[in-house]
Amino acid sequence: VFSGAAAVTNPSAAGVYSFAVSDTTDSGSTYYPVLAAATNEQIGVSAEVGQSFTLTLGSTTDTLGTLSTGGVISSAGVTATVTTNAAGGPVLFAYDTQGGLHSTNAGHTIASKNPNNTSAQTITSAAEGYVANAVYNSDTGGDTMSIATPFTGTGGTGDGLSPYPAELAYATATAGPTNLAIITIKENATITGLTPEASDYSDAVYIVGTGTF
């Protein structure tokens, strides 16, 4: 049997209090502490998550092989993998250094077709041309991405590259953090019977990006 007011209601003031304990054969007293409420009895925890953005290319080389007048020649493609915690998702841009495939030996450039256009361009075997295109493959969570209109298409349809960055891909309307979004970028070219022979046609394509924080 518990007896005494302190056994039923805690005192309002801090201290050590006693109450009587008894049964049918014995009795005694016990003690218990009452602590005062204070700010030093709690732990405030804080943390911060910084901005992050990573862009990784699956390879630093891509090849078109031997070009021919028979039609469009396409590269195997290179993947770009993007992860960001930006609330507005990621955006990628593409540009090159020469505005086409250039041969120093021949002193000739297979020029990009209508670079930085607002719509996709198409090259055919009837003329020299050079375009890039891209496809969205997958992600492992978060927001998805869309390919910018000029870079949509396959084969000989895409956007001409230039030294001026063009939007390649962007977050969808439900923009948000994106995890391991994968895009494949391909280059495509055509030549004619008048394209000078050379084994050193080349270009340097740059893929850059940022998160919309």
Side-chain angles (χ1 to χ4, degrees), residues 21-144:
V21 179
S22 64
D23 60 18
T24 58
T25 61
D26 202 359
S27 65
S29 298
T30 189
Y31 299 86
Y32 68 97
V34 173
L35 303 179
T39 56
N40 61 1
E41 292 177 358
Q42 66 183 26
I43 300 174
V45 180
S46 63
E48 179 179 345
V49 176
Q51 297 177 350
S52 67
F53 178 89
T54 59
L55 170 61
T56 305
L57 296 180
S59 176
T60 56
T61 60
D62 203 8
T63 180
L64 287 163
T66 301
L67 303 181
S68 71
T69 57
V72 177
I73 302 297
S74 300
S75 69
V78 170
T79 58
T81 303
V82 186
T83 296
T84 182
N85 63 358
V91 58
L92 300 182
F93 299 87
Y95 68 96
D96 76 349
T97 57
Q98 301 172 138
L101 291 167
H102 179 72
S103 167
T104 300
N105 293 340
H108 182 74
T109 298
I110 302 171
S112 295
K113 182 169 183 179
N114 299 331
N116 299 85
N117 212 291
T118 56
S119 60
Q121 306 296 298
T122 299
I123 57 175
T124 67
S125 58
E128 288 184 356
Y130 179 61
V131 296
N133 49 40
V135 294
Y136 181 76
N137 298 324
S138 63
D139 62 76
T140 59
D143 191 25
T144 59

Side-chain angles (χ1 to χ4, degrees), residues 128-208:
E128 288 184 356
Y130 179 61
V131 296
N133 49 40
V135 294
Y136 181 76
N137 298 324
S138 63
D139 62 76
T140 59
D143 191 25
T144 59
M145 297 185 71
S146 298
I147 303 301
T149 298
F151 287 96
T152 57
T154 59
T157 301
D159 194 20
L161 297 171
S162 80
Y164 300 96
E167 186 179 62
L168 173 67
Y170 56 90
T172 61
T174 56
T178 300
N179 190 51
L180 298 177
I182 302 175
I183 292 171
T184 299
I185 304 104
K186 293 185 177 183
E187 296 78 34
N188 313 270
T190 54
I191 60 171
T192 71
L194 297 176
T195 303
E197 176 276 333
S199 61
D200 67 333
Y201 282 97
S202 65
D203 190 21
V205 176
Y206 291 85
I207 308 299
V208 297

